[in-house]
Amino acid sequence: MAITSSPMTHGHAELEQAFSMFTEASRQLSQSYLELQQQAQKLTEELAFANGELRRQYAEKAELSSRLTSLLQALPACVVELNDGREVIAINAAARRLLGESVMGRNWDQAILAMLEKLPTPGEWALKPVDVSGGERILSMSESTLAASGGAIVLLHDITESYRMQRQLDHQQRLVAMGEMAAGLAHQLRTPLATAMLYCANLTRASLSEEDRVRFGTRSLDRLRHLERLIQDMLRFVKGGQASLDDQVTLEALAAELASTIEPQAAAAGIDFACHVQAGQRLLQCDRKSLVGAILNLLDNAMRACGDGCTVHLEVGVQSDVATIAVVDDGAGIPADKMSRLFEPFFTTRSDGTGLGLAIVKHVIDAHGGSIRVESCIDEGSRFIVELPVIG
């Protein structure tokens, strides 16, 4: 007889299997929940730590901001903050005292025109008087761009006191220079004047022969002419820095004028003169008379430094936008200990010199926005190099 399972037994097995699966699923869910709780706890702790760190950083930044604000307000310099439209959005206490509260919200460039006057020195401004005292206030201004916002920070320093001290120092230096110049001029005038007076005194002698009278008169006239030349050089020296740059002349024309003037003098002195021009039609804006006089002075000095049979060169050229005029001789050269004093007033290496020629030359060249320098070697000669800006 066959044995078969009943439906009840089969259903009980399926129920046990389902219950076992449910139990396993519950266990897995519980495990997952526990893991989620642990992760949540960990995240909560990390978040709490991050929040604490953020609060600490915020507190530090707040303290730093407070310190910077206090420092900004305590600064003696004026600080002005501009937005990207160049409107004033913040000022410190010093700026408030100097410029007033009304500057807030205004366009800074317009405020400058209304309140400040630009001085010749770059970066320096004069504050227009805003009260009855009318005291002059000099400011130094600098500006830095804020890349993040597109605005800017403007710093204003009150340099009134240092400006006044500098002006006083300049005034004292001018007085010292004038004193030195007066002393030098007096020394230069004394010797020829005393000599002329001596010769003139001899002219008053009743027993003076005609020959002696002519000799003393000639020597007196020579000394008086020396005095006249000295006074003329002094006047030229005083006016040397006041050239009127109203003339335009090509370098070629300037060289031709210099050559035509100096060639006869060089020939009479037995000196060879050579002129080299590589400048085309480049133009100088100049005071033609004073510039020609200055270069002729250099050429005259070069001829005096040379002996019979020597050569003086005039070299004219252009490098970029700078004209170069060189006067070259092959004379005795200049001692190194005298090179640094060549352009000082009343310094001369010649017994008959006034000591003003090269000082006048330097003043003229400076007035033309140029420069002059010297290269020299003993027994080989000297080169005076003048550099001037060209305009075309």
Side-chain angles (χ1 to χ4, degrees):
M1 183 176 67
I3 301 173
T4 59
S5 60
S6 66
M8 182 178 295
T9 301
H10 182 72
H12 180 73
E14 290 179 351
L15 183 61
E16 284 182 352
Q17 185 180 6
F19 183 77
S20 176
M21 293 174 59
F22 176 77
T23 301
E24 180 62 23
S26 297
R27 187 189 65 77
Q28 291 179 358
L29 286 174
S30 297
Q31 184 66 30
S32 299
Y33 179 74
L34 181 60
E35 291 177 356
L36 287 174
Q37 279 186 322
Q38 292 175 348
Q39 291 181 3
Q41 180 65 28
K42 183 179 179 181
L43 290 174
T44 301
E45 291 173 357
E46 291 177 353
L47 183 60
F49 178 79
N51 286 336
E53 186 67 18
L54 287 174
R55 283 193 295 268
R56 185 185 64 79
Q57 292 178 4
Y58 177 80
E60 289 179 354
K61 290 181 179 179
E63 181 184 359
L64 179 61
S65 177
S66 177
R67 289 166 57 190
L68 289 176
T69 301
S70 300
L71 178 62
L72 186 64
Q73 295 301 323
L75 279 176
C78 302
V79 182
V80 179
E81 183 181 357
L82 312 179
N83 61 15
D84 56 358
R86 298 193 62 76
E87 294 175 344
V88 179
I89 58 175
I91 56 177
N92 69 342
R96 190 174 291 105
R97 288 191 298 269
L98 186 69
L99 305 175
E101 193 71 41
S102 61
V103 76
M104 286 293 296
R106 294 180 59 185
N107 180 275
W108 176 244
D109 299 318
Q110 295 177 359
I112 287 178
L113 295 177
M115 305 174 65
L116 303 176
E117 180 179 352
K118 188 171 181 58
L119 297 177
T121 304
E124 292 186 359
W125 301 72
L127 181 66
K128 297 179 181 179
V130 294
D131 52 33
V132 293
S133 65
E136 186 181 41
R137 304 286 292 276
I138 308 300
L139 308 177
S140 172
M141 182 166 59
S142 60
E143 183 174 322
S144 300
T145 302
L146 298 175
S149 65
I153 293 290
V154 180
L155 296 179
L156 295 169
H157 297 270
D158 190 340
I159 58 172
T160 303
E161 193 59 32
S162 60
Y163 183 82
R164 288 173 181 168
M165 291 178 65
Q166 184 62 48
R167 288 205 302 184
Q168 290 176 0
L169 178 61
D170 292 342
H171 179 66
Q172 293 296 328
Q173 289 175 340
R174 285 196 298 270
L175 291 177
V176 170
M178 289 175 63
E180 293 176 348
M181 186 179 297
L185 181 60
H187 176 74
Q188 292 284 335
L189 292 174
R190 182 172 55 190
T191 301
L193 182 59
T195 305
M197 290 176 64
L198 179 62
Y199 289 144
C200 289
N202 287 326
L203 289 174
T204 62
R205 290 163 44 191
S207 59
L208 191 67
S209 67
E210 180 65 19
E211 182 181 353
D212 287 339
R213 185 186 64 80
V214 172
R215 180 165 57 88
F216 288 138
T218 301
R219 291 181 177 178
S220 297
L221 184 59
D222 180 64
R223 293 296 85 195
L224 291 173
R225 284 173 175 166
H226 180 78
L227 286 172
E228 181 186 24
R229 185 168 67 252
L230 180 62
I231 292 172
Q232 287 177 345
D233 281 350
M234 184 66 189
L235 292 175
R236 289 172 60 198
F237 173 72
V238 172
K239 296 170 62 178
Q242 302 176 357
S244 177
L245 309 183
D246 296 330
D247 302 323
Q248 288 188 1
V249 60
T250 64
L251 287 167
E252 194 172 77
L254 180 67
E257 182 175 352
L258 291 168
S260 64
T261 303
I262 209 68
E263 279 176 345
Q265 300 178 31
I271 295 173
D272 294 329
F273 174 75
C275 183
H276 313 277
V277 183
Q278 292 182 339
Q281 297 298 311
R282 302 301 295 272
L283 280 172
L284 290 177
Q285 187 77 36
C286 64
D287 182 330
R288 183 168 185 159
K289 183 177 179 181
S290 66
L291 183 58
V292 168
I295 307 302
L296 285 176
N297 194 312
L298 295 178
L299 289 166
D300 182 67
N301 286 349
M303 289 194 300
R304 289 174 182 270
C306 290
D308 188 15
C310 293
T311 303
V312 172
H313 297 266
L314 175 65
E315 301 173 354
V316 181
V318 177
Q319 294 181 352
S320 185
D321 290 328
V322 177
T324 302
I325 303 173
V327 175
V328 187
D329 66 71
D330 53 4
I334 304 169
D337 60 335
K338 296 179 179 179
M339 288 278 287
S340 62
R341 301 191 60 194
L342 284 178
F343 299 103
E344 290 183 11
F346 304 112
F347 175 78
T348 180
T349 57
R350 302 202 314 262
S351 59
D352 61 340
T354 64
L356 288 174
L358 288 178
I360 293 170
V361 170
K362 188 174 188 311
H363 270 220
V364 171
I365 300 305
D366 288 345
H368 283 76
S371 63
I372 182 170
R373 67 181 189 275
V374 186
E375 299 171 356
S376 185
C377 292
I378 297 298
D379 297 329
E380 293 184 15
S382 304
R383 175 187 291 266
F384 284 76
I385 305 166
V386 174
E387 293 183 340
L388 297 168
V390 295
I391 61 171

